[in-house]
Amino acid sequence: AELLGSLSWLGFGFICVGSIMPEPRAGNPFPRLVRYREQESIADSMGVPSKGRDYALGRLRHAGRRRVPVCANVGGFSAEAIAAGVRDVAPHVDMIELSLMCPNVLQAGETFDEIGMLRGVLDRIEGRTANVIVRVPNDTTQVPDRLAELVEVCVAAGIGGLKVGGGRRVTEPGLGSGAGTLH
Protein backbone atom coordinates (compact mmCIF):
# COMPACT_ATOMS: atom_id res chain seq x y z
CA ALA A 1 0.00 0.00 0.00
CA GLU A 2 3.00 2.28 -0.37
CA LEU A 3 1.91 3.96 -3.60
CA LEU A 4 -1.84 3.87 -3.00
CA GLY A 5 -2.40 7.62 -3.08
CA SER A 6 -0.37 8.18 -6.25
CA LEU A 7 -1.71 5.15 -8.10
CA SER A 8 -5.31 6.16 -7.42
CA TRP A 9 -4.83 9.23 -9.62
CA LEU A 10 -3.57 7.33 -12.69
CA GLY A 11 -6.90 6.21 -14.12
CA PHE A 12 -7.16 2.64 -12.86
CA GLY A 13 -10.66 1.31 -12.15
CA PHE A 14 -9.50 -0.03 -8.76
CA ILE A 15 -6.26 -0.85 -6.99
CA CYS A 16 -5.41 -4.13 -5.28
CA VAL A 17 -2.80 -4.03 -2.52
CA GLY A 18 -1.01 -7.05 -1.14
CA SER A 19 -0.67 -9.84 -0.59
CA ILE A 20 -1.04 -8.72 3.00
CA MET A 21 0.47 -11.48 5.09
CA PRO A 22 0.29 -11.74 8.91
CA GLU A 23 4.05 -11.30 9.35
CA PRO A 24 6.80 -9.86 7.15
CA ARG A 25 8.07 -12.28 4.49
CA ALA A 26 11.07 -11.94 2.23
CA GLY A 27 9.49 -13.97 -0.58
CA ASN A 28 11.40 -16.18 -2.98
CA PRO A 29 14.97 -15.50 -4.13
CA PHE A 30 15.58 -13.10 -7.01
CA PRO A 31 15.02 -13.04 -9.93
CA ARG A 32 11.28 -13.46 -9.49
CA LEU A 33 10.07 -12.65 -13.01
CA VAL A 34 11.03 -13.95 -16.43
CA ARG A 35 9.44 -12.45 -19.52
CA TYR A 36 8.79 -14.48 -22.67
CA ARG A 37 8.42 -11.79 -25.35
CA GLU A 38 7.55 -14.20 -28.17
CA GLN A 39 4.65 -15.74 -26.23
CA GLU A 40 3.63 -12.42 -24.63
CA SER A 41 3.76 -14.06 -21.20
CA ILE A 42 5.57 -13.96 -17.87
CA ALA A 43 6.69 -16.59 -15.40
CA ASP A 44 6.71 -15.42 -11.80
CA SER A 45 7.87 -16.83 -8.51
CA MET A 46 7.22 -14.05 -6.03
CA GLY A 47 6.68 -16.32 -3.01
CA VAL A 48 4.38 -13.79 -1.28
CA PRO A 49 6.78 -11.04 -0.24
CA SER A 50 5.11 -8.78 2.32
CA LYS A 51 6.06 -6.21 4.93
CA GLY A 52 3.34 -7.74 7.12
CA ARG A 53 -0.18 -6.85 8.18
CA ASP A 54 0.80 -4.21 10.76
CA TYR A 55 2.79 -2.29 8.15
CA ALA A 56 -0.02 -2.51 5.57
CA LEU A 57 -2.63 -1.42 8.11
CA GLY A 58 -0.54 1.63 8.97
CA ARG A 59 -0.31 2.54 5.29
CA LEU A 60 -4.04 1.96 4.71
CA ARG A 61 -5.05 4.04 7.75
CA HIS A 62 -3.01 7.00 6.51
CA ALA A 63 -3.53 6.60 2.76
CA GLY A 64 -5.31 9.91 2.43
CA ARG A 65 -7.65 10.84 -0.35
CA ARG A 66 -8.08 8.38 -3.19
CA ARG A 67 -10.16 8.36 -6.33
CA VAL A 68 -10.78 4.65 -6.86
CA PRO A 69 -11.93 1.64 -4.83
CA VAL A 70 -9.19 -0.26 -3.03
CA CYS A 71 -9.05 -4.05 -2.74
CA ALA A 72 -6.77 -5.82 -0.28
CA ASN A 73 -5.41 -9.25 -1.13
CA VAL A 74 -5.26 -11.00 2.27
CA GLY A 75 -3.23 -14.16 2.68
CA GLY A 76 -1.86 -16.45 5.34
CA PHE A 77 -0.99 -20.06 6.03
CA SER A 78 -4.03 -20.91 8.16
CA ALA A 79 -7.76 -20.14 8.10
CA GLU A 80 -7.43 -18.19 11.37
CA ALA A 81 -4.57 -16.05 10.00
CA ILE A 82 -6.53 -15.18 6.85
CA ALA A 83 -9.74 -14.48 8.81
CA ALA A 84 -7.84 -12.22 11.23
CA GLY A 85 -6.47 -10.35 8.23
CA VAL A 86 -9.97 -9.91 6.83
CA ARG A 87 -11.25 -8.54 10.14
CA ASP A 88 -8.31 -6.14 10.53
CA VAL A 89 -8.20 -4.85 6.96
CA ALA A 90 -11.95 -4.63 6.17
CA PRO A 91 -12.57 -1.18 7.74
CA HIS A 92 -9.88 0.37 5.53
CA VAL A 93 -10.73 -0.99 2.06
CA ASP A 94 -13.68 -1.35 -0.29
CA MET A 95 -13.26 -5.07 -0.95
CA ILE A 96 -11.12 -8.00 0.08
CA GLU A 97 -9.60 -10.72 -2.06
CA LEU A 98 -9.03 -13.98 -0.18
CA SER A 99 -5.76 -15.52 -1.25
CA LEU A 100 -6.08 -19.15 -0.25
CA MET A 101 -2.60 -20.14 -1.34
CA CYS A 102 0.30 -19.14 -3.53
CA PRO A 103 1.50 -21.92 -5.83
CA ASN A 104 5.03 -20.52 -5.60
CA VAL A 105 5.38 -21.43 -1.91
CA LEU A 106 4.53 -25.11 -2.41
CA GLN A 107 7.26 -27.65 -3.03
CA ALA A 108 7.04 -29.92 -6.09
CA GLY A 109 4.42 -32.61 -5.48
CA GLU A 110 3.02 -30.89 -2.37
CA THR A 111 -0.78 -30.68 -2.23
CA PHE A 112 -3.06 -28.14 -0.63
CA ASP A 113 -6.68 -28.35 0.55
CA GLU A 114 -7.95 -25.02 -0.76
CA ILE A 115 -11.61 -25.89 -0.16
CA GLY A 116 -10.94 -26.84 3.47
CA MET A 117 -9.02 -23.58 3.91
CA LEU A 118 -11.87 -21.59 2.33
CA ARG A 119 -14.46 -23.23 4.58
CA GLY A 120 -12.32 -22.48 7.62
CA VAL A 121 -12.01 -18.80 6.65
CA LEU A 122 -15.73 -18.49 5.89
CA ASP A 123 -16.65 -20.03 9.25
CA ARG A 124 -14.57 -17.33 10.94
CA ILE A 125 -15.88 -14.35 8.91
CA GLU A 126 -19.52 -15.41 8.79
CA GLY A 127 -21.78 -12.59 7.60
CA ARG A 128 -18.92 -10.52 6.15
CA THR A 129 -18.82 -11.92 2.63
CA ALA A 130 -20.60 -9.36 0.42
CA ASN A 131 -17.46 -7.38 -0.33
CA VAL A 132 -15.21 -10.46 -0.45
CA ILE A 133 -13.91 -12.10 -3.60
CA VAL A 134 -12.04 -15.40 -3.69
CA ARG A 135 -8.91 -15.81 -5.76
CA VAL A 136 -9.29 -19.30 -7.20
CA PRO A 137 -5.95 -21.13 -6.96
CA ASN A 138 -4.47 -21.92 -10.38
CA ASP A 139 -4.32 -25.66 -9.68
CA THR A 140 -8.04 -25.68 -8.79
CA THR A 141 -8.96 -24.42 -12.25
CA GLN A 142 -7.39 -27.57 -13.71
CA VAL A 143 -9.70 -29.97 -11.82
CA PRO A 144 -13.35 -29.42 -12.84
CA ASP A 145 -14.87 -31.20 -9.80
CA ARG A 146 -12.72 -29.19 -7.34
CA LEU A 147 -13.53 -25.96 -9.15
CA ALA A 148 -17.26 -26.76 -9.07
CA GLU A 149 -17.10 -27.52 -5.35
CA LEU A 150 -15.22 -24.30 -4.63
CA VAL A 151 -17.77 -22.28 -6.62
CA GLU A 152 -20.65 -23.95 -4.74
CA VAL A 153 -19.04 -23.11 -1.38
CA CYS A 154 -18.65 -19.47 -2.50
CA VAL A 155 -22.25 -19.18 -3.71
CA ALA A 156 -23.62 -20.72 -0.50
CA ALA A 157 -21.58 -18.23 1.58
CA GLY A 158 -22.67 -15.19 -0.42
CA ILE A 159 -19.18 -14.40 -1.71
CA GLY A 160 -19.26 -11.26 -3.87
CA GLY A 161 -17.13 -12.65 -6.71
CA LEU A 162 -14.39 -14.93 -7.96
CA LYS A 163 -11.04 -14.08 -9.50
CA VAL A 164 -9.98 -16.87 -11.81
CA GLY A 165 -6.44 -16.86 -13.15
CA GLY A 166 -5.01 -19.06 -15.80
CA GLY A 167 -1.48 -19.72 -14.66
CA ARG A 168 0.24 -23.08 -14.55
CA ARG A 169 3.40 -24.34 -12.86
CA VAL A 170 6.57 -24.37 -14.94
CA THR A 171 10.20 -25.22 -14.42
CA GLU A 172 12.18 -22.07 -15.18
CA PRO A 173 15.94 -21.99 -14.51
CA GLY A 174 15.91 -18.19 -14.96
CA LEU A 175 13.89 -17.78 -11.74
CA GLY A 176 15.75 -17.72 -8.42
CA SER A 177 13.61 -20.59 -7.14
CA GLY A 178 13.96 -22.61 -10.38
CA ALA A 179 10.19 -22.83 -10.89
CA GLY A 180 7.19 -20.53 -11.01
CA THR A 181 3.81 -19.85 -12.51
CA LEU A 182 3.37 -19.10 -16.21
CA HIS A 183 0.83 -16.37 -17.00
Side-chain angles (χ1 to χ4, degrees), residues 48-102:
V48 201
S50 174
K51 291 187 177 180
R53 187 181 316 139
D54 290 341
Y55 182 85
L57 283 168
R59 300 295 303 178
L60 289 168
R61 284 185 191 112
H62 300 99
R65 198 167 139 226
R66 58 183 196 239
R67 298 176 55 118
V68 298
V70 173
C71 177
N73 176 295
V74 176
F77 295 107
S78 71
E80 181 51 46
I82 295 172
V86 170
R87 291 188 297 269
D88 290 348
V89 171
H92 309 289
V93 297
D94 302 292
M95 63 185 142
I96 295 174
E97 177 181 273
L98 296 181
S99 188
L100 301 174
M101 63 86 74
C102 172

Side-chain angles (χ1 to χ4, degrees), residues 148-165:
E149 185 178 356
L150 187 134
V151 170
E152 289 173 9
V153 169
C154 290
V155 170
I159 290 293
L162 297 173
K163 176 182 173 184
V164 182

Side-chain angles (χ1 to χ4, degrees), residues 23-47:
E23 302 294 328
R25 289 182 46 83
N28 284 339
F30 288 92
R32 295 177 178 163
L33 293 172
V34 172
R35 182 175 179 194
Y36 305 112
R37 291 182 190 276
E38 311 79 47
Q39 292 91 1
E40 298 180 350
S41 60
I42 291 176
D44 87 90
S45 183
M46 300 303 283

